[in-house]
Amino acid sequence: MREFFGNRKVLIIGNGISGQGAGEALAKLGAQVTVADEAANARIISRKFVSEFNLIITSPSVAPTHKIYKLAKSLKLEIYGEAELGARLFSGTLIGITGTNGKTTTVSLLGEILKRAGKNAAVCGNIGVSFAHTAVFTKPDIAVCELSSFQLEDSITLKPHIAIITNISPDHLDRHGSFNAYAAAKCAIAKNQTKAEYLIVSQDDIPLYCFKNFRPDSRVLYTSRTGKVHGAYVTDGTVYYDNQPIIAVNQIRLIGGHNLSNCLFAVCAAKLLEVENSVIAEVLREFEGEKHRVQLIAHQNGKNFYNDSKGTNIAASLAAAKAMQGTCALILGGKEKGCSFDELFANLPDNVVYIAAIGEAADTILRSAAATGYTKKHTVEKKDTLQDAVSACAQTPAQNVLLSPACASFDMFKDYAARGNAFAEAVANLG
């Protein structure tokens, strides 16, 4: 690695976690690194400036329409993303996990199972730790890597030993342009796999049309919450892996059907890596899940308050609402991502009895609620702030208050974590 990158002049576009991680990794390998923020330094990214480099690495936030790609092509410079860089630097066993929802939970759960089994494993990628940085500094035997569609759309050599696609539903259409393009980006996780590798997909949650023109060479295993498949599945209230009972469903700590699916993915991958059933069951009994993902943060005045700030698309919010036991007041809204809210209102469970709409998407949410007839049965109100929305939900008779915005956070907050923390603060301020 040092021979290849030593003294190479590398331009990194984007100075977030991915960009900084890539820069630190390449600097350690002897490269001369320049990191340019894609927005603040847009004016300096000129042909003359770029021509001084011989390799360009992009962060996931850099869209394929960014001018850096056109400049790189005209200058015949190699350009690829940080996840691709990580794949080129990593020499261990790569577990790549993508999907519209469930990625972070599955990555974290599988990582915990592998560590409990005594394996030298690290979680990285879109979960908040640069894959490239992990490959150079941590050097685990196994990397459990969360991969977004942004990271996969320009992958070249990336080839996980085990690839997982949790589910596919409309998301990030403002970036990809169409659902077919988005689905194709997800499926790219397996494009380089051979018969020596594995692909795990859900029989329950991925429509067959998502796999149009997709013919992976890998060995395919399945998960299902509703019956026996070749892989991990639930039958008679028990989780199995190829006829081996692992754990009773009612012993799993995570709640909701969507989390049961996440558990099945982790079980399937763990068994491929020869983890004992007892270790898997032990972790499933204890694992509480990730912050900001259907996280119970308070119980006061007879209500449960759930933080699902990471629920940034329609499918995620539907899954969170369906996980609620009892009636629910739901907080929706934020920055739109090009998806229609009609699907959400057409499929919301009957237990959602009140909705507070916030952010840039609030008016769109109100129009969709009216157009789909939801407002004929239940109340949907626009609120100026998250605090106002929390207060309004707390005043309803609903047993649960759920923040699951189905939108990005960037109109009002730095990121989903900041939004989740603000929700927790607003709940605490209720007194």
Side-chain angles (χ1 to χ4, degrees):
M1 290 187 293
R2 185 173 298 278
E3 292 74 19
F4 181 75
F5 290 103
N7 294 317
R8 292 191 73 182
K9 296 187 70 175
V10 183
L11 172 63
I12 297 175
I13 307 295
N15 67 349
I17 292 173
S18 293
Q20 292 175 13
E24 291 171 7
L26 289 172
K28 183 174 176 62
L29 297 175
Q32 300 177 46
V33 177
T34 299
V35 180
D37 180 82
E38 58 179 303
N41 294 316
R43 287 176 294 180
I44 71 168
I45 302 175
S46 62
R47 182 181 179 85
K48 180 180 178 181
F49 174 72
V50 174
S51 66
E52 297 177 5
F53 300 90
N54 47 43
L55 173 64
I56 303 170
I57 303 296
T58 57
S59 297
S61 58
V62 180
T65 53
H66 193 285
K67 66 179 181 181
I68 191 63
Y69 286 94
K70 186 175 181 180
L71 286 171
K73 183 177 181 180
S74 68
L75 292 165
K76 297 182 179 179
L77 294 176
E78 191 172 19
I79 181 171
Y80 49 82
E82 181 271 334
E84 172 66 21
L85 173 65
R88 297 186 184 203
L89 296 177
F90 184 59
S91 56
T93 299
L94 174 61
I95 315 301
I97 300 176
T98 194
T100 304
N101 298 302
K103 299 185 294 297
T104 301
T105 299
T106 304
V107 165
S108 301
L109 177 56
L110 179 57
E112 182 60 31
I113 290 172
L114 295 178
K115 291 175 185 176
R116 194 78 63 92
K119 297 183 183 293
N120 177 20
V123 299
C124 59
N126 197 51
I127 196 170
V129 182
S130 162
F131 182 21
H133 191 278
T134 298
V136 172
F137 289 91
T138 308
K139 298 181 181 178
D141 295 331
I142 303 172
V144 185
C145 189
E146 179 178 330
L147 295 165
S148 70
S149 58
F150 297 177
Q151 292 169 306
L152 290 167
E153 64 186 345
D154 64 351
S155 62
I156 303 168
T157 67
L158 187 147
K159 184 173 72 169
H161 176 62
I162 301 174
I164 298 174
I165 305 176
T166 59
N167 46 64
I168 303 178
S169 59
D171 198 11
H172 299 301
L173 302 189
D174 52 340
R175 163 83 169 242
H176 295 287
S178 71
F179 177 66
N180 286 340
Y182 170 67
K186 291 296 188 185
C187 291
I189 195 172
K191 70 179 181 181
N192 294 320
Q193 288 189 309
T194 68
K195 292 188 183 339
E197 287 86 42
Y198 298 89
L199 171 64
I200 305 172
V201 297
S202 168
Q203 183 169 278
D204 304 328
D205 301 317
I206 306 181
L208 288 177
Y209 60 78
C210 292
F211 294 134
K212 184 179 180 181
N213 302 320
F214 177 55
R215 300 291 182 271
D217 292 327
S218 42
R219 288 175 279 180
V220 182
L221 283 80
Y222 299 89
T223 65
S224 176
R225 301 184 304 273
T226 59
K228 187 174 181 179
V229 293
H230 176 47
Y233 55 92
V234 174
T235 185
D236 296 328
T238 299
V239 171
Y240 285 81
Y241 175 81
D242 275 357
N243 297 319
Q244 303 174 42
I246 306 295
I247 188 173
V249 171
N250 62 14
Q251 293 181 354
I252 296 174
R253 185 155 189 172
L254 292 172
I255 65 169
H258 63 297
N259 273 324
L260 181 55
S261 292
N262 298 333
C263 292
L264 293 174
F265 289 117
V267 167
C268 199
K271 291 307 298 177
L272 289 175
L273 295 168
E274 301 181 343
V275 177
E276 293 183 3
N277 295 350
S278 59
V279 174
I280 298 172
E282 180 181 85
V283 176
L284 291 177
R285 290 188 189 99
E286 299 173 3
F287 188 78
E288 295 182 351
E290 294 301 297
K291 284 178 126 182
H292 311 293
R293 196 68 183 97
V294 199
Q295 176 192 14
L296 178 62
I297 61 168
H299 178 80
Q300 57 190 57
N301 301 325
K303 296 183 189 299
N304 297 312
F305 291 82
Y306 288 91
N307 170 17
D308 188 47
S309 184
K310 205 169 189 292
T312 59
N313 56 63
I314 303 300
S317 296
L318 281 172
K322 291 174 181 178
M324 296 295 102
Q325 299 294 313
T327 54
C328 175
L330 175 63
I331 300 174
L332 286 175
K335 184 173 178 59
E336 295 185 60
K337 300 165 75 176
C339 302
S340 170
F341 290 97
D342 290 359
E343 180 186 354
L344 183 140
F345 284 107
N347 293 283
L348 271 179
D350 291 337
N351 63 315
V352 179
V353 296
Y354 173 83
I355 291 176
I358 62 172
E360 289 181 5
D363 290 333
T364 304
I365 291 168
L366 264 63
R367 287 194 295 270
S368 182
T372 55
Y374 182 83
T375 52
K376 292 180 180 179
K377 297 187 296 181
H378 303 299
T379 301
V380 181
E381 295 180 323
K382 180 178 178 178
K383 298 297 176 181
D384 292 332
T385 67
L386 181 55
Q387 178 74 64
D388 291 342
V390 171
S391 298
C393 289
Q395 293 171 24
T396 71
Q399 297 163 287
N400 304 288
V401 175
L402 170 66
L403 168 69
S404 189
C407 294
S409 59
F410 308 123
D411 59 334
M412 301 171 73
F413 301 94
K414 175 185 176 183
D415 53 29
Y416 74 82
R419 178 170 59 189
N421 292 335
F423 174 69
E425 183 178 351
V427 172
N429 288 339
L430 290 174

